[in-house]
Structure formats: structure tokens, C-alpha cells
Amino acid sequence: MKHNILYSFRRCPYAIRARWALLNTNQVVELREVELKKKPIELIKISKKATVPVLKTSLNKVIDESLEIMIWSIKRSNMHALFGDKNNAISKEILSLIEINDNTFKYHLDRFKYASRFNIEESETHRSEAMKILLSLNKRLQVFSNEGKSLFLVDAKESLADWAIWPFVRQFRIADIKKFDQNNEIQCLRCWLNYFFTHEKYPIVMKKNEPWSKKNEPLLFG
């Protein structure tokens, strides 16, 4: 049987969100953990970027953008509510939040978390800019919390935005766990992130696997 193949890296937030979507939409893939310093030739052949995640479908279609992998998996499972139930305003809101995360937040996150690779003297500035975005997310969640609704980012319903953003907030937390966990300004956001941390599928998504080799038996995920 020919499987969909996902090239992944455990700690990469883009790969995490791809795996999260695949698992939560019941899509089965052969998971190939990539050693970033020694990328397999099979990955390089199918993707010029050769950056994880990359999905090669059973029909030989190659998808090398994490968000596109998520959308592919959601459409295959007919879980269209995650896009906003055909409500254009909600759909635009979801995509807008993801765009801010993937561009602005990720920019500042990298320069804060990996300050030694950039300009360490500006790390606190980038942390502050990233926090502004987290505070805006917390404010959204607070509104829904005060109304007694579910704690999700858009219209109090779990959506593609939640799935796409939480791995990056996780990365921010890792940079200074104590400071994040004691920050009451983002209490709702901490509760929101904890939803994913305590989810029954979180240990599956974050399970450590050996780097893939052709010699190994296929590792099925999903």
C-alpha cells in the first residue's frame, strides 16, 4: 500500500502544526523524521527548499508549505468548520491572525529566542514586540471567556487559527518558561496553550522518533 509521506522535524513549529492537523483530521502518513544537518536525498529531490514539513501524497503531489498541508488535511476530512463554516468574514479573520503570526510574530520570535544569531542587544525589543501580539490574542480570548464561551481565538470556536498559531506560542514560552507562566497579563492565553499541552493527542504529536532511514520499517502516523 502506498502511503502519504511526511518529512518532519519534531521541534519545528511549522512541522508541529502540520502533524497536529494531520492527526486531528485522521489522515495517515508515513512519518519521516529529518536530521536537519543531514537531510535525506529523497527530501531534496522532491522539494527545492528541502525545509520541513514536506508532504508527498500517495498521488505524488508535493506540498511543502505547512499551512497548505493543514488545509489539504482539513479538506480531505470535510472538517470545513475549521475554516469558518463558509462565513467569509470569519474566514478572513482566521487567515489574518495566521498571517500576523507567520510574518510579524515569527520575525520577532526568532530575534528574541535566537538573539545570539541576530543582534543580542535588540532581543528585549523583539520580545516586547512579540508580547504585543500575544497580548492582543489574550484580549480576544478574554472576551470569549467573559461571555462564558469556549476559549478559542475566533468566534469562540476551534479553528485553523488555533491549530496554526499554538506551536509558535509554545516556542515563545520555551525561551523563558518561568516568565511566561507567571505572567498574569496573558492568563487566558496560558489557559488556551494549556488546552493543547493537555490534549490527549499532544504526546503523539510530540513523540521523539529516530531520524528516518531507508533501512527502517515505515513509521505510520495518524
Side-chain angles (χ1 to χ4, degrees):
M1 179 180 176
K2 192 173 182 182
H3 294 289
N4 303 307
I5 298 170
L6 181 73
Y7 291 92
S8 181
F9 178 64
R10 179 180 173 271
R11 299 193 308 272
C12 170
Y14 295 105
I16 291 172
R17 72 183 186 183
R19 296 197 305 272
W20 185 263
L22 289 163
L23 185 62
N24 282 278
T25 57
N26 302 309
Q27 303 302 315
V28 177
V29 299
E30 178 189 333
L31 183 65
R32 295 183 175 180
E33 181 73 10
V34 172
E35 192 174 348
L36 297 183
K37 293 181 180 179
K38 191 180 177 182
K39 296 177 182 178
I41 189 65
E42 290 83 358
L43 169 60
I44 296 168
K45 280 182 178 178
I46 64 171
S47 172
K48 289 182 180 179
K49 295 192 304 179
T51 55
V52 293
V54 174
L55 177 71
K56 183 181 180 182
T57 74
S58 58
L59 299 176
N60 287 322
K61 180 180 179 181
V62 175
I63 309 174
D64 60 5
E65 293 289 346
S66 62
L67 190 58
E68 290 181 20
I69 293 172
M70 298 178 79
I71 292 170
W72 175 87
S73 65
I74 289 168
K75 285 182 176 179
R76 277 174 64 90
S77 63
N78 292 316
M79 294 173 68
H80 298 289
L82 290 161
F83 296 130
D85 278 329
K86 297 182 180 180
N87 182 320
N88 285 337
I90 295 296
S91 296
K92 286 179 180 178
E93 195 174 348
I94 289 169
L95 293 175
S96 175
L97 286 174
I98 296 172
E99 184 178 1
I100 291 168
N101 176 79
D102 290 10
N103 295 307
T104 311
F105 183 73
K106 181 64 165 60
Y107 176 84
H108 294 299
L109 170 63
D110 286 348
R111 283 154 182 79
F112 160 57
K113 190 171 189 292
Y114 308 108
S116 59
R117 300 181 192 174
F118 296 95
N119 185 344
I120 200 162
E121 293 178 0
E122 296 180 356
S123 64
E124 197 54 37
T125 299
H126 290 295
R127 182 190 180 280
S128 177
E129 290 300 314
M131 271 302 305
K132 288 178 184 177
I133 295 171
L134 295 186
L135 286 167
S136 71
L137 295 179
N138 187 80
K139 188 175 181 180
R140 299 178 66 89
L141 294 167
Q142 198 169 26
V143 169
F144 297 133
S145 178
N146 290 341
E147 292 176 358
K149 298 180 181 179
S150 299
L151 202 63
F152 294 112
L153 291 172
V154 180
D155 199 32
K157 297 174 184 174
E158 191 165 5
S159 75
L160 179 63
D162 300 287
W163 288 13
I165 293 171
W166 77 260
F168 295 87
V169 180
R170 172 184 175 274
Q171 287 286 89
F172 183 91
R173 176 181 178 269
I174 288 171
D176 192 336
I177 293 175
K178 185 176 180 181
K179 200 168 188 176
F180 185 94
D181 288 352
Q182 292 180 350
N183 188 346
N184 289 327
E185 284 189 306
I186 52 169
Q187 188 173 359
C188 289
L189 187 73
R190 289 193 286 112
C191 290
W192 169 83
L193 186 61
N194 198 50
Y195 164 79
F196 295 97
F197 285 170
T198 58
H199 197 286
E200 62 180 0
K201 292 181 179 176
Y202 181 81
I204 302 171
V205 166
M206 298 306 299
K207 183 181 177 183
K208 289 184 179 180
N209 294 296
E210 293 295 318
W212 173 75
S213 167
K214 285 190 289 187
K215 299 176 184 177
N216 297 343
E217 287 291 318
L219 175 63
L220 296 186
F221 173 87

